[in-house]
């Protein structure tokens, strides 16, 4: 934010055609993560680390080293915070920092007489607007960095586990099932080998005891010993094969050791997507209810203004101010209905309804609707109409409006970037 040009701020306030500049100032803001394992090297308990950060939290303001008392969350960080773990912006309870003002550079930022806060002046409002821009910029950068880092970590874990990023949780669970079944089969083979070894061990001990007490090896004792030798060879061969299989199984298990973590991450992503879906659904329901209520209010306002005008005419009252106000109300109602006519088709309950649309009339409506928005960006919108172009199309109006709005919004991005 060093050397930020105030003219780039929306809603910046002017004083006699000059930006009310609050002056240059310094500041530093630090954000702490309570899940950071580095806290264990300093504090005995993670709760102690969390408590001291929360006790010191807040962005304080100083002028020439003297504190100016402001609210704990005077930048309203809590208003933009969500409860989800995917929020990476500044949080009021884990953010520390200071703003350093000076009497030389920030004379226009006046404090109240008790030094408890700033006076609500045009300079302070611009100062607060600049700080809110810093908070917004920080949230944007943190969001991009953290999400990019999370995506990198996920791809790295996938590569270590030799899985593709497109694989689903079902594929992972199927892989785990196959490996577990294979290990269960290996366990049964190990038990069989163990029983064979136990049986041969008993027989070999008995033969060795006889050999230890016999001064001469009898033909019968020799035959018993010769019988045991092939059995030992068979057991050694079986044990060798079993160890080879176990080695392969362990190598395969080492490859899938990261699968549980990957499954956890995919489930967390699923929860985040569900949260976003619920928010979208809630927003859609709210917009539908709001659209319905606003239309009712506009209809009532239109009827009442019309009845008042008729009543005034009956009473032969020709107050210019009242008549001008009634016409103003009528124009506002018409303008609001015009805006609602573009909002309503994009809502869920009418989004799948198809209408016959006169393409020329629709183009004229679009030009009227976007005129003010585009004029502020020095863009003019017009259409080229060939002969016999006045035809009807049957299409969902809401979806067509969304397509046009996306095209216009994408067209405005390069101009904003250039500005």
């Amino acid at each position: 934010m060093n050397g930020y040009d105030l003219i780039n701020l929306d809603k910046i306030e002017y004083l006699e055609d000059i930006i009310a500049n609050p002056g240059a100032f310094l500041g530093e803001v630090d954000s702490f993560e309570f899940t950071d394992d580095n806290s264990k090297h300093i504090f005995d308990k993670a709760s102690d680390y969390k408590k001291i950060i929360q006790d010191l939290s807040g962005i304080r303001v100083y002028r020439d080293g003297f504190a100016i008392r402001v609210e704990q969350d005077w930048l309203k960080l809590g208003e933009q915070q969500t409860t989800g773990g995917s929020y990476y912006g500044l949080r009021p309870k884990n953010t520390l920092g200071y703003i350093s003002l000076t009497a030389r550079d920030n004379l226009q930022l006046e404090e109240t007489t008790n030094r408890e806060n700033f006076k609500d002046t045009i300079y302070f409002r611009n100062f607060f607007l600049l700080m809110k821009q810093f908070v917004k910029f920080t949230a944007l950068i943190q969001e991009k960095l953290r999400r990019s880092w999370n995506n990198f970590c996920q791809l790295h874990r996938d590569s270590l586990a030799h899985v593709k990023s497109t694989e689903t949780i079902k594929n992972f669970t199927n892989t785990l099932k196959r490996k577990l079944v294979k290990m269960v089969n290996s366990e049964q083979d190990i038990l069989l080998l163990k029983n064979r070894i136990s049986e041969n061990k008993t027989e070999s001990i008995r033969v060795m005891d006889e050999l230890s007490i016999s001064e001469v090896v009898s033909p019968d004792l020799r035959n018993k010993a010769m019988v045991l030798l092939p059995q030992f060879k068979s057991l050694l061969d079986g044990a060798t094969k079993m160890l080879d299989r176990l080695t392969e199984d362990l190598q395969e298990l080492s490859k899938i050791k990261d699968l549980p973590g990957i499954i956890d991450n995919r489930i967390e992503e699923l929860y985040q997507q569900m949260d976003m879906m619920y928010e979208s659904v809630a927003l859609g329901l709210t917009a539908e209810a709001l659209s319905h209520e606003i239309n009712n209010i506009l209809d009532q306002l239109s009827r009442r203004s019309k009845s008042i005008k008729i009543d005034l005419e009956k009473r032969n009252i020709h107050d210019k101010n009242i008549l001008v106000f009634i016409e103003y109300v009528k124009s506002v109602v018409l303008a609001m209905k015009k805006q609602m006519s573009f909002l309503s088709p994009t809502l869920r309950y009418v989004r799948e309804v198809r209408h016959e649309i006169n393409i020329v009339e629709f183009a004229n409506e679009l030009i009227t609707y976007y005129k003010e928005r585009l004029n502020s960006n020095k863009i003019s919108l017009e259409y080229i109409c060939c002969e016999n172009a006045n035809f009807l199309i049957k299409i969902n109006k809401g979806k067509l409006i969304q397509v046009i709005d996306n095209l216009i919004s994408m067209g405005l991005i390069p101009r904003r970037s250039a500005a």
Side-chain angles (χ1 to χ4, degrees):
M1 302 295 288
N2 185 26
Y4 191 85
D5 194 348
L6 294 177
I7 200 172
N8 294 328
L9 288 175
D10 293 333
K11 300 180 181 180
I12 194 72
E13 296 189 40
Y14 290 78
L15 189 63
E16 297 180 357
D17 298 329
I18 299 175
I19 294 177
N21 193 334
F25 58 90
L26 299 175
E28 180 179 336
V29 176
D30 297 301
S31 180
F32 295 83
E33 291 291 336
F34 294 143
T35 57
D36 191 354
D37 292 336
N38 292 331
S39 63
K40 297 179 181 178
H41 300 300
I42 305 173
F43 299 90
D44 294 332
K45 299 179 181 178
S47 57
D48 295 337
Y49 168 73
K50 182 176 181 179
K51 184 177 184 304
I52 193 170
I53 294 298
Q54 291 181 339
D55 291 342
L56 296 173
S57 64
I59 300 176
R60 292 163 175 76
V61 183
Y62 300 89
R63 190 196 296 271
D64 294 323
F66 293 94
I68 301 173
R69 291 186 180 180
V70 291
E71 295 179 8
Q72 176 70 17
D73 187 21
W74 64 282
L75 288 179
K76 312 300 181 187
L77 301 180
E79 292 182 359
Q80 65 179 12
Q81 175 186 342
T82 63
T83 56
S86 60
Y87 176 77
Y88 302 117
L90 297 176
R91 301 172 185 262
K93 289 296 184 180
N94 60 356
T95 300
L96 287 76
Y98 69 90
I99 301 298
S100 178
L101 308 176
T102 62
R104 181 188 64 185
D105 297 326
N106 312 109
L107 185 62
Q108 303 295 348
L109 294 177
E110 302 179 62
E111 305 145 38
T112 56
T113 54
N114 57 3
R115 294 180 65 86
E116 293 290 330
N117 213 326
F118 288 96
K119 292 182 179 179
D120 186 14
T121 64
I122 186 173
Y123 293 98
F124 173 74
R125 290 194 293 271
N126 283 349
F127 166 73
F128 185 76
L129 189 64
L130 181 60
M131 292 302 302
K132 292 294 288 184
Q133 179 65 20
F134 160 73
V135 173
K136 182 179 178 181
F137 174 79
T138 303
L140 177 64
I141 296 299
Q142 287 286 89
E143 178 86 6
K144 289 185 178 295
L145 286 176
R146 292 296 294 273
R147 291 197 182 278
S148 298
W149 171 253
N150 290 342
N151 291 336
F152 167 77
C153 291
Q154 178 179 326
L155 292 174
H156 183 63
R157 284 191 293 265
D158 291 351
S159 65
L160 291 177
H162 303 283
V163 298
K164 297 179 180 179
S165 58
T166 54
E167 291 191 61
T168 62
I169 294 177
K170 186 176 181 180
N171 293 338
F172 298 149
T173 55
N174 288 337
T175 301
L176 288 173
K177 287 178 182 177
R178 288 196 301 269
K179 302 301 181 185
L180 291 174
V181 169
K182 192 173 181 180
M183 292 300 294
V184 169
N185 294 334
S186 296
E187 182 184 10
Q188 294 175 352
D189 294 338
I190 291 172
L191 289 175
L192 290 175
L193 180 62
K194 185 178 179 181
N195 291 334
R196 288 179 58 195
I197 292 174
S198 178
E199 292 173 0
N200 280 267
K201 179 183 176 182
T202 303
E203 182 63 20
S204 63
I205 291 174
R206 188 176 64 78
V207 172
M208 290 180 64
D209 289 342
E210 290 182 13
L211 287 171
S212 63
I213 62 176
S214 300
E215 296 181 358
V216 179
V217 178
S218 65
D220 182 57
L221 190 57
R222 178 183 177 85
N223 289 335
K224 290 181 180 179
M226 293 302 293
V227 169
L228 287 175
L229 289 176
Q231 294 178 357
F232 284 141
K233 184 178 182 302
S234 176
L235 288 174
L236 287 174
D237 291 340
T240 302
K241 292 179 181 179
M242 183 59 63
L243 288 174
D244 292 339
R245 284 178 54 186
L246 288 175
T247 302
E248 293 178 1
D249 291 342
L250 290 173
Q251 289 175 349
E252 292 182 3
L253 285 177
S254 66
K255 293 179 181 178
I256 65 171
K257 65 180 181 180
D258 295 321
L259 279 185
I262 295 174
I263 293 174
D264 289 341
N265 292 332
R266 297 292 171 88
I267 293 175
E268 182 64 27
E269 288 179 5
L270 182 60
Y271 283 145
Q272 293 177 10
Q273 292 172 2
M274 291 177 63
D275 289 340
M276 293 175 64
M277 181 193 69
Y278 290 145
E279 290 176 2
S280 300
V281 170
L283 181 61
L285 293 174
T286 303
E288 288 180 15
L290 181 63
S291 172
H292 184 265
E293 290 302 320
I294 289 179
N295 277 321
N296 290 338
I297 293 172
L298 292 176
D299 289 338
Q300 293 177 16
L301 190 60
S302 178
R303 288 196 298 269
R304 290 182 181 181
S305 60
K306 185 177 180 179
S307 65
I308 289 174
K309 185 177 181 180
I310 293 173
D311 186 63
L312 291 174
E313 290 175 351
K314 288 181 179 179
R315 297 184 183 185
N316 201 23
I317 298 175
H318 302 285
D319 190 304
K320 184 178 179 180
N321 291 331
I322 296 177
L323 294 176
V324 169
F325 179 74
I326 291 175
E327 291 300 320
Y328 176 74
V329 171
K330 289 173 62 179
S331 66
V332 170
V333 170
L334 290 174
M336 288 290 293
K337 284 188 174 183
K338 186 69 176 178
Q339 297 293 326
M340 295 304 298
S341 70
F342 275 80
L343 171 64
S344 296
T346 62
L347 299 179
R348 180 178 60 83
Y349 67 97
V350 290
R351 202 164 50 217
E352 300 302 327
V353 181
R354 294 185 178 184
H355 304 278
E356 288 188 347
I357 301 174
N358 185 301
I359 196 65
V360 174
E361 293 178 359
F362 179 71
N364 287 325
E365 289 178 3
L366 286 175
I367 290 176
T368 303
Y369 178 72
Y370 288 109
K371 183 177 180 180
E372 183 178 351
R373 178 182 173 187
L374 295 177
N375 285 345
S376 61
N377 290 276
K378 299 180 180 179
I379 299 175
S380 61
L381 181 65
E382 59 183 39
Y383 65 90
I384 300 174
C385 182
C386 59
E387 295 182 3
N388 301 322
N390 193 12
F391 60 90
L392 300 177
I393 59 173
K394 190 170 184 180
I395 193 173
N396 178 260
K397 190 175 181 181
K399 291 183 177 179
L400 183 58
I401 290 173
Q402 287 179 334
V403 171
I404 300 297
D405 190 71
N406 288 338
L407 289 173
I408 291 176
S409 299
M410 292 298 293
L412 292 175
I413 291 176
R415 284 183 170 266
R416 290 171 179 166
S417 301

